[in-house]
Structure formats: C-alpha cells, structure tokens
Amino acid sequence: MKSIQEKITLLTTIAILMVAAIAGGTAILTLRQAGDYDSAQILNLTCQTEANSINRSLLDTEEAVNILADYAVERLFSVEKLANDDTYRDSYTVQLGNLFSNIAENVPGIVSYYVRYNPEIMPSTSGVFYRRDTKNDDFFYEEPTDISTYDEDDIEHVGWWYIPVRSGEPTWMDPYHNANIDMELISYIVPLYENGVLIGIAGMDIDFYDLVNRVKDIKCYDTGYACLIDSQGKIIYNPNFESGTTLEDMKINGILAFENDSNGVEPLSYTMGGVKKQLAYRTLSNDMRLVITAPKSEIMYMSNRLVKSVIVSTIIVLLIFLFITIMVSRRITKPLKSLAHVAREINDGKLEVTFPKETKDEVGDLTHAMEKMVHHLKHHIDDLNSLAYHDSLTGVKNKTAYDDAASKLDMQKGEKEYGIVVFDANNLKRINDTYGHERGNIYLQNACRLTCRIFKGSPVFRIGGDEFVVILQGDDYDNCYKLLRDFDVEAERHNLETENEWEKINIAKGMVKYDPETDSNVESVFKRADARMYVAKQKMKLAEMG
C-alpha cells in the first residue's frame, strides 16, 4: 500500500508534468503568434517607410509641375495671341521658364524640365527645355526637339509628347529611354488646355537609375532586397532578374497579386527556388509597386530562436522539478498553476497580467523570463504604434495617421460634418539653408504649436515636410472662421514679440467644408483646401515681393 507521501508525490509529479506541458505549450504558442505579428508589422512598416520616402520625391515633382501648369493657364491671355503673336509667345515663354527654373531648383532628383507648345498651332520647336547630366550639376538650356520630325509611335524621341496628349490628363510615364538626351527616365507631364484647346505640355524628368539606386540601398534582413514591379507583377527593376521578366518566368509557387495599393496586414507568402519567402509591397505615386522581400527563415529567426529557448528552458525546468518533487511538491504546485493561468491570459491577447511572486528557483526564472517577454512585447508594440502614427519632430500625428483618419471618414455612413484646413509653412527651405535645420525645426514646431493650440478640439497631422492638415470637427467645425481669425491674430502677436525669422510663424492656409454635392471623399475636400492654400501662398509671396 502506497503512503500518503507517495500518493502526494505521484499526484504532484503528474500535476507538474501537466502544468509544464501547458505552460510551455502556451508560451510557445504565444511567442509564435507574437513573432508572426511582429514580423508582419516590421516588414510592412519597412516597406511603408521606404515607399513614403520615395513618394516624397515623386509628389514634390508632381506638385512642381502642377504649380507651373496652373500658372501657365492662369497667365495666358488667349490661345490665338499665343499662336499668332511671336513677341507675346516669346515673353510668355520667358515667364514660364523663369518660374519653372525657380521651382526646379527646389525639387531634388530632377534632371530636366520643359514646356512645349502644340506643334499643330505653333512652331514645332517652340517652348523651353533645360536639363543637366546628373542631379548635382547645374541646369543648362538645350534646343527643344523638333516634334514634327518623328513618328507618333517613336517613344524614345517624342513619347513624352504624344502619350500625355493622348491621355488628356497628368501622366506618369513608365521608365523609358529618351534618345534625345540618351538617358533612362521616368517623367511626370501635364497637358495644358485653355477652353478645351491644347496649348502644350509641362513636364519634369527624373533619372530612373537614381530611383533604382535608392531601391538598391534598402536593406531588409540578411539576404532580403527591394525591387520595383508594375501592377501585373512584371519586373521593372530587380537585382536578380532582367527588366520585363514576368511572374511565370520567375517560376514562383504561390498566388501573388499586385492590383491593390498594398498587400494589406499580412505579408504575401510564396516559394521560389525551393526557398519559402514573404513580401510586402506599396504602390508609389507613379503606380509602380515597391516590393520588399526576404526568406521566411530570416523573418522568423528571432521568433524561432525564442521558441527553441522556451522549449529548452521548459525541458530543463521539468527535469529539475521531477528531481526535487518529493521535497518541494507543495511549494511549486501553486506558483506553477498561477503561471499557467498567466500564460493562458497572454495567449488570449491580454498583456496586462499579474505574475506570481518570484521564487528563488527555476519557476521564478521562468516567471521572470515571461515578465520580461511581456514587457518587451508591450514596449515593442507601443514603439511600433508611435512610429507608425506620430511625427517625431512635432509630436502630432503623421501622414499614416491622416490616411487612416481619412479612410475612416470615407467609410462613415450617414451625414458627415467636417472640414479640412491645409497649412503650409512658407520659406522653410530658405530658413534651413540660411540658419540650419535645427532652427528650421524650431520654425516648424512653433507653427505646429500654434495650430494645436487654436484647433485644440480637432486632430492635427503633419503630412509633409512643411505641410500640416487639421480635420475640423465638433466645436472647431462650428467656429472654424473665428478660429482662423484667431490663428492670424495669434500669429501676428507672436511675430511682433520675436525678432528672428526662424522664430516667426509664416503660414499659408486654406480651409473648406465637406460638401456632399461636390465631394466624393476626403481627398476631394483636401484638394479644394490645398488649392485655396496655394492661392493664399501665392498672395503672400506676391506681398513679400511687393
């Protein structure tokens, strides 16, 4: 007959085995789930960050050409005068060239810019064309290409004219070889119309290999890399494949589709050459896809390492527990059960858990390890959320947070009542160049601080280097015009109390309210507000010149 001690020992041993299995399995499952989530977040965040960096250059190019296009149409006296009066056309061209020159100097990465007139109503070489050999050289004038001497399908010589003219709207051209200047380019071109009549085009060119070099510099894990593809998955640039290679040619196992703007929350999985991989992609402003891919073994390395560590630790602890069961069975049963309960809570997604009091044995070590694991998980998740949704310089929400807010507004059902104010800090580049970036940062922080103080009931976003957006809501929406006046009064008072240019607040702004009759989404409201801001900015510039 077995003694009570033997029964207790047997029962405790069985309990220890069960608890160890539950605790270890739960911990492994939790680590695996957390590792999968963190790996997906890291891959997506890396891709989003790099795409945002490239998009800033592309959007700067779009903005520059759009400004020139608006100015060209606004300043035109008439199409007939432009077509028939050589003197007026020369003067008009000089005005456009001077403005474009000033704009182009402030747009990084541009290798050429131009305004060309419609050869059907004006000379086929009329317009201006400036270029440089590299982005670090000075622009120089070059005789414009004679459009009439080339066939419409000659992409290398006149594709920059016929492709946007045929589309009738602003166009990003796919990478192509420009035989006129012997360079590989991507171009943003805007057709110019007055009362439905084609005047010409305005455009800027970016050295495609400059973009390729930026993609080459993107690092991801040990052997991961970045590449560029189109919406069908055809290679534009890939360090391992020729341009034009299709998904079928790469012999990929797995379903990959790139029609959407991004891969969503979960990375896309596939197998190539017997290696399991994952990728994340984001659509750039010119409709190319930036793809970042890496072997799954590298992506999951830390997670797998933690799982192995937990397995080894669990086995060691289990052996020790079995060895000392007779002496400490009662002592270790309770903390193990408590620890199993905590592990289950973590597995259910609850990270705000209370761990049992640490003991000076392996149970205490395991408890401490899990506490550190939970602490690191919470800290890492908090860091990722902060990086993803806040601007580090000003402390306000960033472009990602704005896109998320805009998406939620667009999905909102029923009546909507909101407005958008677009702010643009004037002369930021001059302040950076003259006083240094630290004082340029102070300039932005002062502007952001006043914006947050005036519109304290509405979210403030920094969506660009010198651009802020406020989504008006609640009382701010009702009192928007008063708040705009308060903003001007406070800015003027602040400027009277400061002497240095970098301490002052010099902001152009534009505000509109959502109108369901004209606005299909938040982007439509933003564009109207941005247009008003641009008008205000031009007036301020004219006032400064006056």
Side-chain angles (χ1 to χ4, degrees), residues 403-423:
D403 291 340
D404 188 55
S407 177
K408 289 179 180 177
L409 274 175
D410 286 339
M411 291 188 293
Q412 181 179 320
K413 303 298 183 182
E415 293 185 2
K416 302 178 185 180
E417 190 173 80
Y418 69 93
I420 286 183
V421 188
V422 176
F423 297 86

Side-chain angles (χ1 to χ4, degrees), residues 20 22 29-30 40 43 60 110 123 132 138 160 176 185 195 210 214 269 304-305 325 406 445 456 484-485 490 492 495:
I22 294 172
L29 179 60
T30 302
L43 195 62
D60 284 345
I110 296 302
R132 55 186 175 185
D138 293 329
W160 48 266
Y176 69 101
L185 304 174
N195 295 326
D210 180 53
R214 293 181 64 177
S269 299
N304 292 336
R305 186 175 177 181
T325 295
Q445 288 168 343
K456 56 188 175 183
L484 290 173
R485 291 194 296 272
E490 287 296 313
E492 183 176 358
N495 292 341

Side-chain angles (χ1 to χ4, degrees), residues 123-162:
S124 57
T125 60
S126 57
V128 292
F129 177 61
Y130 284 86
R131 76 177 187 92
R132 55 186 175 185
D133 294 325
T134 71
K135 64 180 182 180
N136 298 319
D137 295 334
D138 293 329
F139 286 103
F140 59 88
Y141 178 80
E142 187 163 296
E143 185 67 25
T145 302
D146 188 343
I147 301 173
S148 65
T149 60
Y150 297 100
D151 185 76
E152 292 186 9
D153 296 326
D154 190 343
I155 303 298
E156 291 193 342
H157 286 94
V158 290
W160 48 266
W161 170 265
Y162 288 105

Side-chain angles (χ1 to χ4, degrees), residues 210-385:
D210 180 53
L211 177 60
V212 167
N213 288 332
R214 293 181 64 177
V215 174
K216 286 181 180 178
D217 290 338
I218 297 174
K219 304 301 180 184
C220 184
Y221 299 101
D222 293 333
T223 62
Y225 60 87
C227 61
L228 295 171
I229 62 174
D230 64 15
S231 61
Q232 303 303 314
K234 185 181 294 185
I235 295 297
I236 298 175
Y237 160 74
N238 187 302
N240 302 319
F241 295 95
E242 294 292 332
S243 175
T245 304
T246 63
L247 294 175
E248 291 77 12
D249 296 333
M250 289 186 283
K251 298 180 180 179
I252 290 176
N253 293 326
I255 300 176
L256 297 180
F258 302 95
E259 289 84 1
N260 297 324
D261 289 338
S262 71
N263 57 281
V265 176
E266 296 294 332
L268 302 181
S269 299
Y270 65 100
T271 302
M272 185 170 67
V275 178
K276 293 182 178 181
K277 296 187 175 185
Q278 289 185 328
L279 67 82
Y281 75 89
R282 295 294 185 273
T283 299
L284 302 177
S285 295
N286 63 351
D287 206 39
M288 289 193 293
R289 270 62 171 172
L290 174 67
V291 177
I292 295 182
T293 182
K296 190 173 182 179
S297 60
E298 295 179 12
I299 297 173
M300 300 299 298
Y301 173 76
M302 289 304 300
S303 175
N304 292 336
R305 186 175 177 181
L306 285 172
V307 169
K308 291 178 182 178
S309 298
V310 171
I311 293 173
V312 172
S313 299
T314 302
I315 293 174
I316 293 174
V317 170
L318 179 60
L319 292 175
I320 294 174
F321 282 171
L322 289 173
F323 180 75
I324 63 174
T325 295
I326 296 176
M327 296 188 306
V328 295
S329 58
R330 291 180 180 271
R331 184 168 176 262
I332 65 175
T333 300
K334 185 176 180 180
L336 274 176
K337 290 182 177 179
S338 299
L339 195 60
H341 175 71
V342 170
R344 284 191 291 270
E345 288 187 313
I346 296 173
N347 182 56
D348 292 335
K350 181 181 178 182
L351 296 181
E352 297 296 332
V353 293
T354 302
F355 285 88
K357 183 179 179 180
E358 292 185 13
T359 55
K360 296 180 180 180
D361 52 24
E362 289 74 17
V363 178
D365 292 341
L366 183 58
T367 301
H368 181 66
M370 291 186 68
E371 283 182 318
K372 290 180 66 176
M373 176 194 72
V374 172
H375 173 75
H376 290 322
L377 282 174
K378 290 192 291 186
H379 181 72
H380 194 50
I381 291 171
D382 289 342
D383 285 347
L384 286 174
N385 287 334

Side-chain angles (χ1 to χ4, degrees), residues 448-469:
C448 184
R449 196 174 294 116
L450 177 60
T451 305
C452 292
R453 191 166 76 246
I454 297 298
F455 299 92
K456 56 188 175 183
S458 300
V460 179
F461 307 85
R462 183 186 180 197
I463 64 170
D466 55 2
E467 194 169 16
F468 299 87
V469 171

